[in-house]
Amino acid sequence: ALKSRWLMLGTFVGYRQKYFEALLKNPNLKEATEVDARVQELALKETETDAKASVVLTPNQFTAGRAAQFYSWRDVPRRHVIWVNGAQSRAPSMQATFQLGYPLRGDSELIIAGLDDNAPAKCRIRIQMNGSTVFEGENPFASDHWSTQRFPVKGAMLRDGVPNTLRIENLEASDSMTGAPWFMLSYAVLRPAK
């Protein structure tokens, strides 16, 4: 009986291995994985962050009522992005759930690489960590080039050993899905405060 159980377990492991191999051969998954790796590399380089003591969130890790895609415009270099439109649109917010990649021993800092729309007025956004507001108001990002901004995150806003949720909302009263007001994210990095 024990031998047959081991044989069944071996068969099950074999099926699981074939399933994972098929999954990895999926061109869409392979492409998404490669894109995420490039975004993570860019994020760590631009923010001078240690991969072992941080969390890097790529556009593919956010849900926003739309899929992440590539974006470029005039002098703005092409990047893989996710963005939010007005508060009454079908994509008013984005959120990502993650586990901390470092021990929680105090405050952290959230670094976001983003882009504001090209309207005269800055798009107002709200950034929340586990429901606590980290930032609210006119977004401080440039509209003609990628810029990074740092936001302090109090240690009490984060959870160690359980999932955390980063949420970014567009606060502008608009239902447009095609133009301003929008806010675009290239990546987010969370790391211990220095």
Side-chain angles (χ1 to χ4, degrees), residues 102-121:
Y102 54 89
L104 185 56
R105 293 193 183 107
D107 296 344
S108 294
E109 80 174 336
L110 174 66
I111 306 170
I112 293 177
L115 190 69
D116 183 37
D117 61 40
N118 56 359

Side-chain angles (χ1 to χ4, degrees), residues 134-145:
V134 171
F135 172 84
E136 185 171 333
E138 291 183 354
N139 84 77
F141 296 86
S143 61
D144 59 352
H145 64 274

Side-chain angles (χ1 to χ4, degrees), residues 12-31:
F12 173 73
V13 169
Y15 284 137
R16 296 267 305 186
Q17 186 64 33
K18 286 179 184 167
Y19 169 76
F20 285 124
E21 286 170 9
L23 228 109
L24 291 173
K25 287 178 188 170
N26 176 329
N28 293 334
L29 179 65
K30 186 174 185 288
E31 182 182 325

Side-chain angles (χ1 to χ4, degrees), residues 18-176:
K18 286 179 184 167
Y19 169 76
F20 285 124
E21 286 170 9
L23 228 109
L24 291 173
K25 287 178 188 170
N26 176 329
N28 293 334
L29 179 65
K30 186 174 185 288
E31 182 182 325
T33 303
E34 288 171 357
V35 167
D36 280 353
R38 287 195 299 270
V39 170
Q40 287 179 349
E41 185 180 337
L42 175 70
L44 294 171
K45 181 181 174 186
E46 285 188 348
T47 62
E48 299 176 344
T49 299
D50 178 3
K52 294 176 185 156
S54 63
V55 175
V56 178
L57 299 172
T58 69
N60 282 330
Q61 291 170 275
F62 283 85
T63 55
R66 63 160 47 92
Q69 64 185 52
F70 285 96
Y71 173 86
S72 66
W73 184 75
R74 293 190 183 169
D75 294 332
V76 178
R78 184 175 188 256
R79 287 195 179 189
H80 199 242
V81 301
I82 192 87
W83 71 100
V84 289
N85 291 96
Q88 285 83 40
S89 73
R90 291 188 314 276
S93 66
M94 65 174 90
Q95 68 179 39
T97 301
F98 62 92
Q99 296 273 358
L100 273 184
Y102 54 89
L104 185 56
R105 293 193 183 107
D107 296 344
S108 294
E109 80 174 336
L110 174 66
I111 306 170
I112 293 177
L115 190 69
D116 183 37
D117 61 40
N118 56 359
K122 291 280 201 178
C123 176
R124 292 176 304 119
I125 62 171
R126 178 184 299 126
I127 301 172
Q128 292 184 318
M129 189 67 72
N130 296 319
S132 296
T133 299
V134 171
F135 172 84
E136 185 171 333
E138 291 183 354
N139 84 77
F141 296 86
S143 61
D144 59 352
H145 64 274
W146 294 107
S147 59
T148 56
Q149 298 292 330
R150 289 168 161 70
F151 303 95
V153 178
K154 295 289 181 198
M157 293 180 178
L158 293 166
R159 302 178 190 132
D160 205 357
V162 296
N164 291 273
T165 301
L166 170 62
R167 180 180 174 86
I168 302 173
E169 298 173 74
N170 187 326
L171 300 177
E172 300 297 340
S174 170
D175 63 359
S176 173

